[in-house]
């Protein structure tokens, strides 16, 4: 299992994530952004999805601020996605809780996301590749209370992920065209 960790304010954050992604992203990839706009701490995924749609990203994107994929509709959406894209290479994106010193960290991993795990929910895993952003500490009993989560943090992390996905896709295309 491979993983890259980078802090969102690292000037090369999107580049480091993109270089990891280029080996996993392809024309069969699609993006599933998990979360809800009803909670600042959980809106990372829908923001990424919205930003990607606004840039006319060439791959299918599911989960936006206006049409979120969250705990209550995750199973149905995954079934629909797998029906529409049976051979899809799914890249899952979600917010996550972590240690206090890890807030602002982005991780890209070559294994699925386990949504809801940090809040004690058992939900289906998503993707073969995952990108998570640590938005708050897991030390509180009040999960995603939003008292300490800055929307600015979540928004900036979402922009880094969006840029990394776009850059990673174009790096893949560049590699593909050089090898054919």
């Amino acid at each position: 299992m491979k993983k890259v960790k980078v802090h969102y304010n690292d000037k090369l954050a999107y580049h480091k994530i993109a270089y990891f992604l280029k080996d996993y992203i392809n024309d069969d990839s699609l993006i599933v952004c998990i979360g809800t706009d009803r909670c600042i701490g959980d809106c990372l995924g829908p923001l990424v999805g919205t930003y990607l749609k606004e840039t006319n990203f060439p791959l299918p994107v599911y989960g936006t601020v206006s049409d979120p994929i969250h705990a209550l509709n995750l199973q149905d959406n995954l079934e629909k996605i797998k029906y529409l894209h049976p051979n899809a290479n799914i890249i899952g994106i979600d917010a996550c809780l972590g240690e206090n010193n890890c807030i602002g960290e982005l991780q890209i991993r070559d294994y699925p996301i386990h949504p809801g795990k940090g809040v004690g929910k058992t939900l289906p895993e998503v993707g073969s590749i995952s990108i998570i952003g640590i938005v708050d500490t897991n030390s509180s009993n009040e999960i995603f209370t939003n008292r300490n989560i800055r929307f600015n943090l979540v928004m900036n992390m979402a922009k880094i992920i969006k840029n990394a996905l776009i850059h990673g896709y174009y790096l893949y295309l560049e590699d593909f065209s050089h090898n054919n």
Side-chain angles (χ1 to χ4, degrees):
M1 294 195 298
K2 291 164 56 177
K3 179 190 322 189
V4 168
K5 296 179 185 183
V6 61
H7 198 273
Y8 85 98
N9 63 9
D10 177 336
K11 294 201 183 310
L12 293 175
Y14 86 93
H15 189 70
K16 292 173 182 175
I17 295 169
Y19 261 83
F20 183 99
L21 258 179
K22 77 178 178 67
D23 296 329
Y24 296 94
I25 200 167
N26 57 48
D27 289 324
D28 292 325
S29 296
L30 64 79
I31 315 301
V32 175
C33 302
I34 302 162
T36 178
D37 62 330
R38 295 178 184 249
C39 174
I40 289 174
D42 202 24
C43 71
L44 178 68
L47 275 176
V48 172
T50 299
Y51 290 155
L52 286 170
K53 291 255 189 186
E54 287 174 350
T55 64
N56 295 313
F57 188 63
L59 299 175
V61 176
Y62 292 90
T64 61
V65 171
S66 62
D67 190 15
I69 296 176
H70 47 70
L72 300 178
N73 67 14
L74 179 64
Q75 183 69 45
D76 289 343
N77 274 291
L78 288 177
E79 288 172 13
K80 179 177 88 173
I81 290 165
K82 287 175 182 168
Y83 175 78
L84 294 172
H85 310 275
N87 300 316
N89 168 36
I90 297 175
I91 300 170
I93 299 170
D94 199 4
C96 184
L97 301 174
E99 299 298 318
N100 196 44
N101 63 332
C102 295
I103 293 173
E105 186 175 276
L106 298 165
Q107 297 179 10
I108 179 162
R109 307 148 342 160
D110 66 351
Y111 52 91
I113 287 178
H114 300 280
K117 184 177 177 182
V119 292
K121 293 183 181 174
T122 304
L123 298 169
E125 60 183 35
V126 178
S128 55
I129 303 297
S130 57
I131 303 173
I132 61 163
I134 300 174
V135 298
D136 198 9
T137 178
N138 55 7
S139 63
S140 171
N141 290 333
E142 300 173 42
I143 304 300
F144 286 135
T145 58
N146 293 331
R147 281 184 283 134
N148 298 318
I149 302 172
R150 299 276 323 267
F151 182 66
N152 189 55
L153 167 74
V154 178
M155 187 174 66
N156 286 326
M157 292 172 78
K159 288 177 182 175
I160 297 294
I161 295 169
K162 174 216 34 150
N163 290 338
L165 285 161
I166 292 168
H167 192 65
Y169 181 69
Y170 289 112
L171 286 171
Y172 151 74
L173 289 178
E174 190 176 282
D175 280 359
F176 183 78
S177 67
H178 283 103
N179 293 329
N180 290 325

